[in-house]
Amino acid sequence: MPNELPNAVVVGGGMGGLLAAIRLRASGHDVTVVERLPTLGGKLATYERDGYTFDIGPSLLTLPALIDEVFQLVGTSLNEQLQLHRLNPQFRYFWQNRRAVTVYDNPVDTASAIDAMSPGSGGQYLQFLKHARRIWAISERTFLAGPMTGAVSLFKRMDSPRDFRQIDAMRSLAVAAKKHFSDPLLQQWLGRYATYSGSSPFEAPATLACIAAVEADHGAWYAHGGLGALRDAVVKVATLNGVQFRTNTEVLRIEGNKRRVTGVRLANNEVLTAPIVIANVDAEHLYTDLLPQRKTLKAVRRAGRSTSGVIVLVGAKGTTPNIVHHNVWFSADYQNEFEQMSKGEMPEDPTIYACVSSVTDASQAPANSENWFLLVNAPAGAQVDTETYGQWLINRLATIGVDLRDRVQFIETIGPTEIAHRYRSSGGAIYGTSSNGKRAAFRRPANRGPRKGLYLVGGSSHPGGGLPMVAISARIVANMIGRDLRVNPKSR
């Protein structure tokens, strides 16, 4: 692949950076990815112990076509590189009144299950899906179709004012849930989609309801061997196509002048010269440490941090009836849970998410055993005693759902402090900035940096966190770079 275009350096080897690197390489750029940690993939990480394997970042893959799109650019496909499973059932949700509902891969089956739990609600679910699908269709051609530089950039991509009304951005997800569902339990279920971006259903826009349609229509997927296998496939494709990697390598700062960037300086004082720098790092870290920008940093902080989380990994002997790959045990009072977090407190009665991938993939745990990945929401910056919290959460789960206490082989706990240290994310915020508030989409750090040649990719920038969104951010940034070079060919 000839080097016809300027070389590029990607700071950070998370999924957004890796996918952007492949896209640029496919266009003819020489690309080097610099990663501070010894492993690539960013938050798409794994933990192994005693024959158990856990995904300790994303545990759900949606819209795999977005990654396949990148692979197709370099002559391969996701199916060639990876064995994917479309999960059915997708999720099982439990409430403390012992009611439960299963979400299936087929919306009609899901509606039947919802109706069995809450008579009359199955029809409400199918009507809601029509609404959610409209939001997704509009979002794809507006919000997700390019960079966001303010409300004008969004409105320019809309066909009419009706698009703005139908995208449902002016009310909270919690308010919308009450309009769509009469059963408070299903209102709580819909509110959960705010947490996909580290936000509160009582503050995040109802636009996030579209995630339910994405799962219903495009599936919930699992990569055989764990989502770490997805990371490995992306790294393999990048390597085979000439992307260069520097792991265990610290970027000290981004070099340049007041007008444009010229490369990066490493901790050993080596300079990698490049007219294109893509920052796949937390925006607050970028504008505090790598390229200090007081005004831009102030804007990033004004946007507000997403939630963090506490991860509890449990190796458990035996198998559990009535669970599926993805499970959720809801708190008794969702509003109080988020109110406590808004005060910086750990919730006393947290919603507990459990991924038990050994239900689908026996390679993830020893025979007759299960790998329990437990996650609860936590405010960014929360101080958690990881020595005791894991046992507390297992005791809590025993009270409201499944009793693992006599089956536990080991417990490992990862809190906001550890997340912040590993990924240099402010307060351990998992998704960068939150989606709270009507203007959240416009406050998120832009894909174009304040100096020419600097671009932002990944969960900390537009359009946000989660594997599908960071894949879209990689597409947006690669397209921006291509347009910028066409407009100003001298920058080559």
Side-chain angles (χ1 to χ4, degrees):
M1 192 176 295
N3 177 26
E4 300 174 349
L5 294 170
N7 62 314
V9 171
V10 180
V11 182
M15 285 294 286
L18 294 174
L19 294 173
I22 297 171
R23 285 183 174 274
L24 291 187
R25 188 71 191 122
S27 298
H29 297 268
D30 276 349
V31 186
T32 301
V33 177
V34 184
E35 169 56 52
R36 178 174 59 90
L37 297 174
T39 56
L40 296 161
K43 295 187 181 76
L44 189 57
T46 57
Y47 175 83
E48 297 181 16
R49 176 174 168 180
D50 301 341
Y52 295 85
T53 302
F54 303 87
D55 291 313
I56 59 172
S59 56
L60 171 67
L61 175 62
T62 53
L63 298 174
L66 292 169
I67 298 174
D68 184 60
E69 176 186 292
V70 179
F71 283 14
Q72 295 281 350
L73 293 174
V74 290
T76 186
S77 70
L78 196 55
N79 284 337
E80 288 179 34
Q81 301 296 331
L82 204 62
Q83 182 182 348
L84 291 180
H85 301 275
R86 185 164 176 155
L87 298 177
N88 190 29
Q90 293 182 349
F91 291 87
R92 186 159 290 156
Y93 297 94
F94 302 87
W95 286 270
Q96 293 181 29
N97 60 9
R98 301 302 173 183
R99 289 166 73 189
V101 71
T102 301
V103 172
Y104 294 95
D105 190 45
N106 184 329
V108 174
D109 292 340
T110 300
S112 296
I114 288 174
D115 221 38
M117 181 194 78
S118 179
S121 295
Q124 292 178 346
Y125 168 75
L126 293 176
Q127 282 299 116
F128 157 73
L129 272 188
K130 292 180 181 178
H131 171 73
R133 286 167 179 146
R134 283 195 297 271
I135 296 176
W136 177 246
I138 296 169
S139 296
E140 279 196 292
R141 59 179 169 80
T142 57
F143 178 69
L144 303 175
M148 292 282 286
T149 55
V152 173
S153 61
L154 179 63
F155 293 141
K156 280 183 177 179
R157 294 194 283 264
M158 289 186 169
D159 291 342
S160 72
R162 186 183 179 193
D163 278 351
F164 184 73
R165 291 194 300 272
Q166 291 193 331
I167 209 168
D168 208 2
M170 300 308 291
R171 60 180 177 175
S172 73
L173 188 58
V175 168
K178 291 181 179 179
K179 298 294 184 181
H180 289 292
F181 295 103
S182 54
D183 190 328
L185 301 189
L186 294 172
Q187 295 168 12
Q188 187 176 27
W189 164 79
L190 180 55
R192 177 177 174 268
Y193 286 106
T195 66
Y196 278 45
S197 63
S199 307
S200 165
F202 304 97
E203 298 182 63
T207 308
L208 295 178
C210 69
I211 303 172
V214 170
E215 291 180 349
D217 295 339
H218 300 278
W221 297 81
Y222 171 76
H224 184 77
L227 265 67
L230 172 64
R231 170 204 60 209
D232 295 344
V234 172
V235 172
K236 175 186 172 184
V237 169
T239 302
L240 289 174
N241 285 278
V243 175
Q244 301 295 310
F245 293 105
R246 300 277 298 268
T247 55
N248 275 317
T249 302
E250 179 96 24
V251 172
L252 191 63
R253 65 174 178 266
I254 294 172
E255 295 282 283
N257 52 43
K258 291 182 179 180
R259 181 171 169 269
R260 67 164 304 123
V261 299
T262 58
V264 300
R265 183 175 296 275
L266 308 181
N268 64 2
N269 222 31
E270 178 186 356
V271 174
L272 302 181
T273 302
I276 298 171
V277 175
I278 300 175
N280 182 207
V281 299
D282 183 82
E284 193 163 340
H285 169 52
L286 170 65
Y287 294 126
T288 301
D289 305 310
L290 304 184
L291 186 71
Q293 297 276 313
R294 183 179 300 176
K295 183 178 178 181
T296 310
L297 177 62
K298 185 177 180 181
V300 170
R301 288 176 171 164
R302 192 164 54 241
R305 299 180 295 189
S306 78
T307 57
S308 184
V310 180
I311 298 165
V312 177
L313 310 176
V314 183
K317 287 291 186 184
T319 57
T320 308
N322 201 35
I323 64 163
V324 295
H325 193 117
H326 299 288
N327 311 269
V328 175
W329 285 267
F330 280 113
S331 62
D333 186 338
Y334 220 28
Q335 186 153 4
N336 184 60
E337 179 180 355
F338 282 92
E339 284 178 355
Q340 285 187 298
M341 285 195 289
S342 72
K343 299 174 185 176
E345 302 169 0
M346 286 295 297
E348 296 171 355
D349 176 20
T351 294
I352 303 173
Y353 163 69
C355 175
V356 190
S357 61
S358 57
V359 169
T360 302
D361 182 357
S363 73
Q364 300 297 283
N368 194 40
S369 299
E370 293 171 337
N371 62 333
W372 282 73
F373 167 94
L374 302 174
L375 174 67
V376 298
N377 294 316
Q383 299 298 309
V384 176
D385 182 355
T386 55
E387 295 295 321
T388 61
Y389 192 88
Q391 187 61 58
W392 179 88
L393 189 64
I394 292 170
N395 291 340
R396 181 63 190 158
L397 181 61
T399 300
I400 65 173
V402 173
D403 192 346
L404 300 175
R405 289 174 294 190
D406 292 337
R407 298 164 48 196
V408 170
Q409 301 299 294
F410 62 83
I411 302 171
E412 294 283 350
T413 305
I414 303 168
T417 300
E418 291 75 24
I419 295 169
H421 175 74
R422 180 177 176 88
Y423 303 114
R424 294 218 169 137
S425 59
S426 178
I430 295 174
Y431 306 94
T433 55
S434 78
S435 296
N436 291 335
K438 297 174 184 177
R439 297 187 56 81
F442 310 121
R443 293 194 180 111
R444 186 170 286 117
N447 301 111
R448 187 185 301 281
R451 296 186 187 178
K452 185 177 289 188
L454 176 64
Y455 303 86
L456 279 68
V457 74
S460 189
S461 57
H462 173 72
L467 287 174
M469 295 300 103
V470 302
I472 291 171
S473 78
R475 178 206 287 162
I476 290 171
V477 164
N479 289 343
M480 287 174 67
I481 292 170
R483 284 194 299 270
D484 290 348
L485 291 175
R486 288 192 294 273
V487 170
N488 184 20
K490 290 183 179 180
S491 64
R492 297 186 182 197

